Amino acid sequence: MGLILEIITGASLLASSLIAVWMVGAIYYDMCGGAKWARWVALAWAVGVIAVLAAWRPLWQPIVALLGAEFLFLVWWFRLEPTNDREWDPNAAVLPRAVRADDAVTIENVRNLEYHSLDDSTPRYEARTYHLSSIKGVDVIFFDWGNGFLGHPALIFDFGPDGRICMSIEARLPKGQKYSVVRSLYRQQELIFVAADERDVILRRTKYSQGQWAYLYHLNSTVVELTEVFLDYVNTINQLYESPRWYHVLFTNCTTSFYKLPSTRVRWDWRVIANARLDRALYNDGRLDRTLPFKELRRLACLNDIADTAPASGFGDHIRRELERRRHER
């Protein structure tokens, strides 16, 4: 019996300690809004927890008290509501919306910014119509941040004569806020499904961001599957327009949100989180070209030098011709 109590006490201490550490950030970001004085409030919480656990005996009593306080805090935290009413970063200022009329899907507010630098762009949003009967393929582009673990994937749907549309699941950042993995653990950013011109999405990361490498692959898929996934994106775009959701770096990010779409097969793979390595997982599944070894396929798929010098007119066709030419010349 004594051993069981020790195990329960140890497990409870571990759980309460982990929550207490997480709460340091939640107090700083979500309760105090990241103000200059917020660090002192967060520090006071951390010091208080350590003092209580060190001084109060028997140990189970401060653990119970701590778990009670954490429970009340979590009730408050989970009640925080996301919103579409903020002053947003220009890259995420306008939400897309879609209207379907039988075979035709019109996407309003397709982002097609003209960048002068990462923080300076000319706003340009367009309405584009795509016919489901014209869908012919999809490419996946992986942006690798160079740390070996975290990256960003986006899908580019090819509708033949209707053109291409890039779908990118991202954190919707308030104006003046930079992306932060730590901040993304809290209620700080909303989720956005960006519908954009592929030139916009690619150049923003290859030409105007530092340390990002882009890899473009054709994704093996059936027309039926492509249509279902595209409509999942369309439906989610409209849902987020009406009812915003929180972004979370682990549970509601650019890959986990994709695998939560209704027609997508749930993938239990650590590379969904460490998504800089997700292209290897897709290769192993046969979703990418298997006629080449993966390392060679990845080398040939690197896009930065081609994209950064591609003409604005016919951008998508140009980069694919150049990738194909590189492949034949290897």
Side-chain angles (χ1 to χ4, degrees), residues 73-224:
F73 183 88
L74 287 171
V75 169
W76 169 82
W77 190 80
F78 278 110
R79 290 170 65 92
L80 294 175
E81 294 288 340
T83 179
N84 283 331
D85 298 325
R86 298 202 209 191
E87 189 176 4
W88 299 104
D89 182 278
N91 298 308
V94 182
L95 286 175
R97 184 166 54 176
V99 178
R100 182 179 178 183
D102 298 324
D103 185 55
V105 176
T106 298
I107 302 178
E108 301 171 355
N109 300 327
V110 174
R111 198 183 74 190
N112 189 16
L113 306 185
E114 189 64 41
Y115 293 94
H116 313 295
S117 70
L118 187 61
D119 299 317
D120 179 22
S121 60
T122 301
R124 186 167 59 198
Y125 291 88
E126 303 164 354
R128 299 185 181 183
T129 299
Y130 301 93
H131 294 84
L132 299 177
S133 57
S134 298
I135 196 167
K136 55 183 292 189
V138 66
D139 294 329
V140 58
I141 185 164
F142 285 95
F143 298 97
D144 189 334
W145 298 350
N147 58 23
F149 292 97
L150 296 179
H152 179 76
L155 291 184
I156 303 171
F157 293 89
D158 185 352
F159 284 87
D162 294 335
R164 300 182 183 92
I165 183 73
C166 182
M167 298 291 194
S168 178
I169 305 173
E170 302 180 6
R172 194 181 190 195
L173 303 179
K175 188 175 182 180
Q177 189 181 108
K178 300 296 183 181
Y179 182 81
S180 163
V181 172
V182 174
R183 188 188 289 271
S184 297
L185 291 169
Y186 303 103
R187 304 295 211 199
Q188 289 291 295
Q189 301 151 356
E190 277 75 9
L191 182 70
I192 183 172
F193 274 45
V194 175
D197 187 274
E198 62 180 333
R199 180 173 178 267
D200 171 322
V201 173
I202 292 172
L203 291 185
R204 179 168 180 259
R205 294 177 180 271
T206 62
K207 191 172 184 177
Y208 298 106
S209 298
Q210 293 184 346
Q212 293 198 39
W213 296 91
Y215 300 86
L216 182 69
Y217 307 96
H218 182 70
L219 194 63
N220 296 327
S221 186
T222 66
V223 170
V224 172

Side-chain angles (χ1 to χ4, degrees), residues 245-315:
R245 302 177 200 166
W246 290 115
Y247 176 92
H248 192 279
V249 70
L250 295 178
F251 304 115
T252 314
N253 60 33
C254 54
T255 46
T256 56
S257 295
F258 171 79
Y259 284 109
K260 289 177 183 177
L261 294 177
S263 64
T264 304
R265 176 172 58 87
V266 175
R267 183 181 189 90
W268 302 107
D269 193 310
W270 64 275
R271 288 166 294 193
V272 171
I273 302 299
N275 50 24
R277 303 190 178 191
L278 188 58
D279 52 353
R280 164 71 81 171
L282 294 175
Y283 179 85
N284 292 340
D285 283 351
R287 304 305 298 268
L288 306 182
D289 181 9
R290 293 291 300 270
T291 62
L292 295 172
F294 176 74
K295 288 185 177 180
E296 181 68 2
L297 179 67
R298 182 177 170 84
R299 183 185 70 81
L300 294 172
C302 188
L303 194 62
N304 290 53
D305 57 337
I306 296 174
D308 292 354
T309 58
S313 178
F315 176 87

